[in-house]
Every structure is written in structure tokens, then in C-alpha cells.
Amino acid sequence: MFTGIVEVIGMVEKISWSGTNRILTISSSISDELQVDQSISHNGVCLTVESLQKGCHTLTAIKETLDKTTLYHWEIGNYINLERCMRLGDRLDGHIVQGHVDDVATCTAKKDLHGSWLYTFAYNNRHKGLLIEKGSITINGTSLTLVSCNDETFQVAIIPYTYNNTVFQYTDIGTVVNVEFDILGKYILKSILK
């Protein structure tokens, strides 16, 4: 489990294939502190550390992950939000994030408000019941508050700290992002629709 508070930005250093699996090597300032078999959020996707090299860690994305997230399209040099799993007793500064991406969304607008940024994303409206104004959402592993939402788009406002310390600084119109909707909303919706 994660909080959606990004620790560091990593970079994709190496990519290879093993059957339908994509093997990715990520460099970061926390890679040397990781352990094999540890769960790490990579742009919101919970992945297991399989091996360690100096300043890097390697993981495998299986077909299911590649089909549901942006990982299939990652390239060498891409920047990635990283967060280690939450420890029992930690403060929950963001919200409860599982690292289980629900879908992808596409940035359709980015507005510089001269002190913050307003991003608009188009999403698959089969998830429209999971979005509420001022509710929580995770975009590329970052815990955010929805500014507004409708059946086709949602908006989030990004403060300077988040902009400068996450991959939002590289997110522009056309960028496809991983989205995880609030787990509490998912359970409530499921109980209502029973």
C-alpha cells in the first residue's frame, strides 16, 4: 500500500523483453536502499524489485500490466515517479493508494496559472461513478484532489512543489498517464450496484 506522496523521480535506463514480459531497469537516488522482493510504485504501478545494480533496480512487467498501464510505451530516458510502500504507523499524507492502476487517461489541456498549473484529462467514462469534485485520485502515482469532473474529463491543480518534484513537469497535452481511482469510492460504488 502507498500514500501517493512521490519520493523521487527515477529514469528508465534499460529495456528488454522476455517472452511477453518487459524487463525494465530504473535508476534513482533510492535504488541503492531497496531490497529484492520489495514493492515499489512506478508511476502508480506496484512492481516488485527483482535485482539490484549500483544505483539501479530491475523489475518485470507482465502482459496484464502492459495491457492496462502506460508501461508498454515507456522508453529509455523516460522519467518515472517512485514511492516505496507505506510502513505501518506512518502518516497517511496523501490517501490510500494500492498501486493497482484502473485505467489510463490523456492530458488534453495544461494551463499555467502563474503559481500553479491546471491539468485536464480525458478518461474512459465507464469510471464516471468514481469521480467526485474534491475527491481523491492518483495520477502516475501522485495523490491529488479533483478540482472538477464530468462524464468525459477531470481536472487537477498542481502546486509548485508537486510540479517540480514529480513527472508533472514533463506532462503535456497528449501525455498518457496511469490513473487509480479512490479505493473507498470503488467499494461504495460496488455495494450500491449490487
Side-chain angles (χ1 to χ4, degrees), residues 23 35 38 40 44 58 61 75 81 99 113 127 146 151 167 172 185:
I23 315 301
Q35 298 175 7
Q38 190 171 8
I40 306 295
T58 299
E75 298 176 352
N81 286 331
L113 301 177
H127 302 296
L146 288 160
D151 289 352
V167 297
D172 293 306

Side-chain angles (χ1 to χ4, degrees), residues 6-186:
V6 174
E7 284 188 72
V8 297
I9 297 175
M11 179 185 285
V12 179
E13 296 287 347
K14 184 178 175 184
I15 300 172
S16 62
W17 288 91
S18 176
T20 59
N21 296 338
R22 199 164 203 220
I23 315 301
L24 299 137
T25 299
I26 310 295
S27 65
S28 77
S29 60
I30 63 169
S31 291
D32 287 335
E33 301 171 27
L34 303 181
Q35 298 175 7
V36 170
D37 202 30
Q38 190 171 8
S39 295
I40 306 295
S41 172
H42 296 77
N43 266 8
V45 183
C46 179
L47 296 164
T48 302
V49 174
E50 294 186 346
S51 66
L52 298 165
Q53 308 82 40
K54 185 171 177 55
C56 295
H57 62 279
T58 299
L59 48 98
T60 297
I62 63 173
K63 185 177 185 307
E64 170 73 7
T65 303
L66 297 173
D67 288 345
K68 300 246 172 96
T69 70
T70 62
L71 270 77
Y72 184 87
H73 302 286
W74 287 6
E75 298 176 352
I76 292 172
N78 283 170
Y79 294 105
I80 309 298
N81 286 331
L82 299 174
E83 180 191 358
R84 287 176 275 198
C85 58
M86 184 178 167
R87 292 178 294 209
L88 194 60
D90 280 353
R91 286 188 176 92
L92 186 60
D93 290 326
H95 71 282
I96 296 171
V97 177
Q98 293 185 293
H100 302 161
V101 170
D102 293 301
D103 212 336
V104 295
T106 303
C107 181
T108 59
K110 175 182 179 180
K111 186 174 183 182
D112 186 344
L113 301 177
H114 307 290
S116 65
W117 291 262
L118 183 67
Y119 285 83
T120 304
F121 292 91
Y123 73 103
N124 187 324
N125 72 358
R126 74 174 184 254
H127 302 296
K128 63 185 177 184
L130 296 171
L131 298 174
I132 59 168
E133 191 173 314
K134 306 303 181 238
S136 296
I137 193 166
T138 307
I139 300 175
N140 276 347
T142 307
S143 172
L144 297 165
T145 301
L146 288 160
V147 171
S148 67
C149 54
N150 58 45
D151 289 352
E152 296 176 353
T153 63
F154 62 82
Q155 292 183 314
V156 292
I158 305 299
I159 63 172
Y161 180 87
T162 301
Y163 186 86
N164 292 323
N165 290 281
T166 71
V167 297
F168 268 99
Q169 61 190 291
Y170 309 110
T171 303
D172 293 306
I173 294 171
T175 301
V176 180
V177 297
N178 294 317
V179 176
E180 180 182 333
F181 300 103
D182 186 8
I183 186 65
L184 300 176
K186 288 190 266 190

